[in-house]
Short mmCIF file of all heavy atoms in Angstrom, two decimals:
data_model
loop_
_atom_site.label_atom_id
_atom_site.label_comp_id
_atom_site.label_asym_id
_atom_site.label_seq_id
_atom_site.Cartn_x
_atom_site.Cartn_y
_atom_site.Cartn_z
N ASP A 201 55.19 9.31 -28.98
CA ASP A 201 55.89 9.05 -27.72
C ASP A 201 55.63 10.24 -26.82
O ASP A 201 56.27 11.28 -26.91
CB ASP A 201 57.39 8.90 -28.02
CG ASP A 201 58.19 8.57 -26.77
OD1 ASP A 201 57.62 8.64 -25.66
OD2 ASP A 201 59.38 8.27 -26.90
N ALA A 202 54.63 10.11 -25.96
CA ALA A 202 54.20 11.26 -25.15
C ALA A 202 54.09 10.86 -23.69
O ALA A 202 53.93 9.69 -23.35
CB ALA A 202 52.84 11.76 -25.66
N GLU A 203 54.17 11.89 -22.86
CA GLU A 203 53.93 11.70 -21.43
C GLU A 203 52.46 11.30 -21.27
O GLU A 203 51.61 11.74 -22.02
CB GLU A 203 54.20 13.06 -20.78
CG GLU A 203 54.24 13.10 -19.29
CD GLU A 203 54.35 14.55 -18.81
OE1 GLU A 203 55.15 15.33 -19.40
OE2 GLU A 203 53.60 14.90 -17.89
N CYS A 204 52.17 10.46 -20.28
CA CYS A 204 50.77 10.08 -20.02
C CYS A 204 50.19 11.06 -18.99
O CYS A 204 50.67 11.11 -17.85
CB CYS A 204 50.69 8.66 -19.49
SG CYS A 204 49.00 8.03 -19.42
N PRO A 205 49.19 11.87 -19.38
CA PRO A 205 48.67 12.86 -18.42
C PRO A 205 47.89 12.17 -17.30
O PRO A 205 47.41 11.05 -17.48
CB PRO A 205 47.74 13.71 -19.28
CG PRO A 205 47.29 12.81 -20.37
CD PRO A 205 48.44 11.87 -20.63
N PRO A 206 47.78 12.84 -16.13
CA PRO A 206 47.10 12.23 -14.98
C PRO A 206 45.69 11.71 -15.29
O PRO A 206 45.28 10.68 -14.77
CB PRO A 206 47.05 13.38 -13.96
CG PRO A 206 48.24 14.23 -14.31
CD PRO A 206 48.38 14.14 -15.80
N PHE A 207 44.96 12.41 -16.16
CA PHE A 207 43.60 12.01 -16.54
C PHE A 207 43.58 10.55 -16.98
O PHE A 207 42.70 9.77 -16.61
CB PHE A 207 43.11 12.91 -17.68
CG PHE A 207 41.69 12.66 -18.13
CD1 PHE A 207 40.62 13.17 -17.41
CD2 PHE A 207 41.42 11.93 -19.28
CE1 PHE A 207 39.30 12.96 -17.82
CE2 PHE A 207 40.12 11.70 -19.70
CZ PHE A 207 39.05 12.22 -18.97
N TYR A 208 44.60 10.15 -17.79
CA TYR A 208 44.65 8.78 -18.28
C TYR A 208 45.50 7.87 -17.39
O TYR A 208 45.17 6.70 -17.19
CB TYR A 208 45.19 8.75 -19.71
CG TYR A 208 44.17 9.24 -20.72
CD1 TYR A 208 44.42 10.34 -21.53
CD2 TYR A 208 42.94 8.59 -20.84
CE1 TYR A 208 43.47 10.78 -22.45
CE2 TYR A 208 41.99 9.03 -21.75
CZ TYR A 208 42.25 10.12 -22.56
OH TYR A 208 41.31 10.55 -23.45
N ALA A 209 46.62 8.39 -16.86
CA ALA A 209 47.49 7.54 -16.02
C ALA A 209 46.71 6.98 -14.84
O ALA A 209 46.78 5.79 -14.53
CB ALA A 209 48.69 8.35 -15.54
N LYS A 210 45.92 7.84 -14.18
CA LYS A 210 45.21 7.40 -12.98
C LYS A 210 44.01 6.52 -13.31
O LYS A 210 43.61 5.71 -12.50
CB LYS A 210 44.78 8.62 -12.17
CG LYS A 210 45.96 9.31 -11.51
CD LYS A 210 45.53 10.47 -10.63
CE LYS A 210 46.74 11.15 -10.00
NZ LYS A 210 46.49 12.53 -9.64
N SER A 211 43.43 6.69 -14.50
CA SER A 211 42.24 5.91 -14.82
C SER A 211 42.57 4.58 -15.49
O SER A 211 41.86 3.60 -15.32
CB SER A 211 41.29 6.72 -15.71
OG SER A 211 41.94 7.17 -16.89
N THR A 212 43.69 4.51 -16.24
CA THR A 212 44.01 3.28 -16.96
C THR A 212 45.08 2.45 -16.24
O THR A 212 45.21 1.25 -16.49
CB THR A 212 44.57 3.57 -18.37
OG1 THR A 212 45.82 4.27 -18.23
CG2 THR A 212 43.60 4.39 -19.19
N GLY A 213 45.88 3.12 -15.39
CA GLY A 213 46.97 2.40 -14.72
C GLY A 213 48.23 2.30 -15.56
O GLY A 213 49.20 1.67 -15.15
N ILE A 214 48.24 2.95 -16.75
CA ILE A 214 49.47 2.94 -17.57
C ILE A 214 50.56 3.71 -16.82
O ILE A 214 50.33 4.83 -16.36
CB ILE A 214 49.22 3.58 -18.96
CG1 ILE A 214 48.32 2.69 -19.80
CG2 ILE A 214 50.54 3.83 -19.70
CD1 ILE A 214 48.00 3.24 -21.18
N LYS A 215 51.75 3.08 -16.70
CA LYS A 215 52.81 3.72 -15.92
C LYS A 215 53.75 4.59 -16.76
O LYS A 215 54.15 5.66 -16.34
CB LYS A 215 53.67 2.64 -15.22
CG LYS A 215 52.90 1.79 -14.21
CD LYS A 215 52.95 2.42 -12.83
CE LYS A 215 52.40 1.50 -11.76
NZ LYS A 215 50.94 1.30 -11.84
N GLY A 216 54.10 4.12 -17.96
CA GLY A 216 55.16 4.82 -18.70
C GLY A 216 54.62 5.78 -19.75
O GLY A 216 53.55 6.36 -19.59
N ARG A 217 55.39 5.95 -20.83
CA ARG A 217 55.01 6.87 -21.89
C ARG A 217 54.02 6.19 -22.84
O ARG A 217 53.91 4.97 -22.87
CB ARG A 217 56.25 7.39 -22.62
CG ARG A 217 57.11 8.27 -21.69
CD ARG A 217 58.38 8.73 -22.33
NE ARG A 217 58.16 9.72 -23.39
CZ ARG A 217 57.91 11.02 -23.18
NH1 ARG A 217 57.85 11.49 -21.94
NH2 ARG A 217 57.77 11.84 -24.18
N ILE A 218 53.32 7.01 -23.60
CA ILE A 218 52.22 6.47 -24.41
C ILE A 218 52.29 6.97 -25.86
O ILE A 218 52.94 7.98 -26.15
CB ILE A 218 50.84 6.89 -23.84
CG1 ILE A 218 50.74 8.44 -23.69
CG2 ILE A 218 50.54 6.20 -22.53
CD1 ILE A 218 49.35 8.97 -23.40
N THR A 219 51.63 6.22 -26.75
CA THR A 219 51.24 6.81 -28.03
C THR A 219 49.84 7.36 -27.77
O THR A 219 49.03 6.75 -27.05
CB THR A 219 51.18 5.78 -29.18
OG1 THR A 219 50.31 4.73 -28.80
CG2 THR A 219 52.55 5.23 -29.50
N ARG A 220 49.56 8.50 -28.37
CA ARG A 220 48.29 9.18 -28.09
C ARG A 220 47.73 9.72 -29.39
O ARG A 220 48.39 10.45 -30.11
CB ARG A 220 48.55 10.31 -27.08
CG ARG A 220 47.29 11.01 -26.61
CD ARG A 220 47.61 12.07 -25.58
NE ARG A 220 46.40 12.69 -25.07
CZ ARG A 220 46.36 13.72 -24.23
NH1 ARG A 220 47.50 14.25 -23.80
NH2 ARG A 220 45.22 14.23 -23.83
N TRP A 221 46.52 9.32 -29.69
CA TRP A 221 45.84 9.77 -30.91
C TRP A 221 44.64 10.61 -30.53
O TRP A 221 43.82 10.20 -29.71
CB TRP A 221 45.35 8.56 -31.71
CG TRP A 221 46.43 7.64 -32.19
CD1 TRP A 221 47.38 7.03 -31.43
CD2 TRP A 221 46.68 7.25 -33.54
NE1 TRP A 221 48.21 6.27 -32.23
CE2 TRP A 221 47.80 6.37 -33.53
CE3 TRP A 221 46.06 7.53 -34.77
CZ2 TRP A 221 48.31 5.79 -34.69
CZ3 TRP A 221 46.56 6.93 -35.91
CH2 TRP A 221 47.68 6.09 -35.87
N GLN A 222 44.55 11.78 -31.13
CA GLN A 222 43.37 12.64 -30.94
C GLN A 222 42.80 12.92 -32.33
O GLN A 222 43.42 13.61 -33.13
CB GLN A 222 43.76 13.98 -30.29
CG GLN A 222 44.26 13.86 -28.86
CD GLN A 222 44.69 15.22 -28.30
OE1 GLN A 222 45.20 16.07 -29.01
NE2 GLN A 222 44.49 15.41 -27.01
N ASP A 223 41.64 12.35 -32.61
CA ASP A 223 40.99 12.57 -33.91
C ASP A 223 39.66 13.26 -33.68
O ASP A 223 38.73 12.67 -33.11
CB ASP A 223 40.80 11.25 -34.65
CG ASP A 223 42.13 10.63 -35.05
OD1 ASP A 223 42.90 11.31 -35.74
OD2 ASP A 223 42.41 9.48 -34.64
N ILE A 224 39.59 14.52 -34.11
CA ILE A 224 38.39 15.33 -33.90
C ILE A 224 37.53 15.29 -35.15
O ILE A 224 38.03 15.31 -36.27
CB ILE A 224 38.78 16.80 -33.65
CG1 ILE A 224 39.56 16.94 -32.35
CG2 ILE A 224 37.55 17.71 -33.64
CD1 ILE A 224 40.21 18.30 -32.18
N GLU A 225 36.23 15.24 -34.92
CA GLU A 225 35.25 15.34 -36.00
C GLU A 225 34.22 16.36 -35.53
O GLU A 225 33.48 16.09 -34.57
CB GLU A 225 34.55 13.99 -36.07
CG GLU A 225 34.36 13.36 -37.41
CD GLU A 225 33.67 12.02 -37.21
OE1 GLU A 225 34.34 11.07 -36.76
OE2 GLU A 225 32.46 11.97 -37.45
N TYR A 226 34.18 17.52 -36.15
CA TYR A 226 33.20 18.56 -35.76
C TYR A 226 32.12 18.63 -36.84
O TYR A 226 32.40 18.90 -38.00
CB TYR A 226 33.89 19.91 -35.60
CG TYR A 226 32.93 21.08 -35.43
CD1 TYR A 226 31.98 21.09 -34.41
CD2 TYR A 226 32.98 22.18 -36.30
CE1 TYR A 226 31.10 22.16 -34.26
CE2 TYR A 226 32.11 23.25 -36.15
CZ TYR A 226 31.17 23.23 -35.13
OH TYR A 226 30.30 24.30 -34.98
N HIS A 227 30.89 18.32 -36.43
CA HIS A 227 29.74 18.42 -37.34
C HIS A 227 29.05 19.75 -37.04
O HIS A 227 28.31 19.85 -36.05
CB HIS A 227 28.77 17.26 -37.09
CG HIS A 227 29.37 15.91 -37.38
ND1 HIS A 227 29.07 15.19 -38.51
CD2 HIS A 227 30.27 15.15 -36.69
CE1 HIS A 227 29.75 14.05 -38.49
NE2 HIS A 227 30.48 14.00 -37.41
N ALA A 228 29.32 20.76 -37.87
CA ALA A 228 28.76 22.08 -37.61
C ALA A 228 27.23 22.01 -37.71
O ALA A 228 26.71 21.29 -38.54
CB ALA A 228 29.32 23.08 -38.63
N PRO A 229 26.53 22.77 -36.87
CA PRO A 229 27.06 23.71 -35.88
C PRO A 229 27.24 23.12 -34.47
O PRO A 229 27.92 23.70 -33.66
CB PRO A 229 25.97 24.79 -35.83
CG PRO A 229 24.70 24.03 -36.11
CD PRO A 229 25.08 22.91 -37.06
N CYS A 230 26.63 21.93 -34.19
CA CYS A 230 26.46 21.60 -32.77
C CYS A 230 27.31 20.46 -32.22
O CYS A 230 27.71 20.50 -31.06
CB CYS A 230 24.98 21.30 -32.50
SG CYS A 230 24.58 21.08 -30.77
N LEU A 231 27.59 19.42 -33.02
CA LEU A 231 28.17 18.21 -32.41
C LEU A 231 29.67 18.09 -32.66
O LEU A 231 30.13 18.21 -33.78
CB LEU A 231 27.47 16.95 -32.94
CG LEU A 231 27.84 15.66 -32.19
CD1 LEU A 231 27.25 15.64 -30.78
CD2 LEU A 231 27.40 14.42 -32.96
#
Side-chain angles (χ1 to χ4, degrees):
D201 182 351
E203 189 187 316
C204 190
F207 183 80
Y208 286 120
K210 289 184 181 155
S211 56
T212 65
I214 290 179
K215 297 271 190 290
R217 293 177 70 79
I218 55 169
T219 56
R220 185 177 184 186
W221 298 55
Q222 293 177 326
D223 294 304
I224 295 168
E225 227 179 284
Y226 170 56
H227 297 255
C230 187
L231 190 71

